[in-house]
Amino acid sequence: ALPTETFYGLAVDPADAAAVARVFAIKGRDATKALLVVAADLDQAAELAVLDGVRRAALAAVWPAPLTVVLPLRRALAAAGGETIAVRVPAHVLLRALLARVGPLTATSANRSGAPPPATAGEVATELGADVDLVLDGGRTPGGAPSTLVDWTGERPLVLRAGTFTLPPSCT
């Protein structure tokens, strides 16, 4: 588990089917729901998702930010659903530094499905206990609303979940 710019998330290699299955089991989450993936920067995100010129330019202007975007999938990943992937370049310095070293990771909230997401490493330990191998303590996260979730598989972005980020006019 690791901190993000909103809450703590469960992090595994998004290509590792066994690790992704473990996240679903820990959360008690429906395995048909894809897991979001965080990347260190736009280039890492482009290794996972198809980013044409318009999307790339718009996202370069706003990332890093608590904005998760559903995009066409570039290559098969265990964490992705079907032909799309939800990806974000997080506005959390420690997390981006880790991602730069190890590559993209999942970052679904570190809680059981239906429980509130944790804002501290201690809350992760209390909620998930021995189910989590390691908790990277990055201090208290801001909490509040989750990242904004946008589907940009069509011509224009469509807000699926309002969150802490407001889309600028350049993305709408």
Side-chain angles (χ1 to χ4, degrees):
L2 44 70
T4 75
E5 72 277 44
T6 53
F7 295 98
Y8 274 75
L10 292 175
V12 300
D13 178 346
D16 185 330
V20 168
R22 185 167 175 219
V23 169
F24 282 114
I26 290 169
K27 287 185 67 73
R29 180 177 172 145
D30 179 357
T32 63
K33 294 182 179 180
L35 301 177
L36 78 89
V37 176
V38 288
D41 54 34
L42 193 60
D43 289 335
Q44 251 188 21
E47 293 172 11
L48 307 171
V50 177
L51 289 172
D52 63 16
V54 172
R55 287 173 181 85
R56 188 177 186 96
L59 292 172
V62 298
W63 273 345
L67 172 65
T68 302
V69 184
V70 178
L71 295 161
L73 184 61
R74 181 169 299 284
R75 61 184 170 91
L77 285 175
E83 298 176 2
T84 62
I85 185 167
V87 65
R88 175 169 88 239
V89 175
H92 191 282
V93 176
L94 175 63
L95 177 53
R96 280 199 327 277
L98 174 66
L99 297 168
R101 295 196 81 150
V102 303
L105 296 169
T106 63
T108 187
S109 58
N111 60 312
R112 310 267 186 224
S113 288
T120 68
E123 290 173 2
V124 173
T126 299
E127 171 78 14
L128 301 179
D131 286 340
V132 176
D133 294 332
L134 175 73
V135 178
L136 177 60
D137 190 344
R140 176 173 285 282
T141 61
S147 67
T148 299
L149 178 61
V150 173
D151 180 338
W152 204 353
T153 55
E155 193 172 312
R156 297 193 120 354
L158 172 66
V159 176
L160 300 176
R161 177 184 70 205
T164 61
F165 185 80
T166 302
L167 288 177
S170 64
C171 288
T172 57

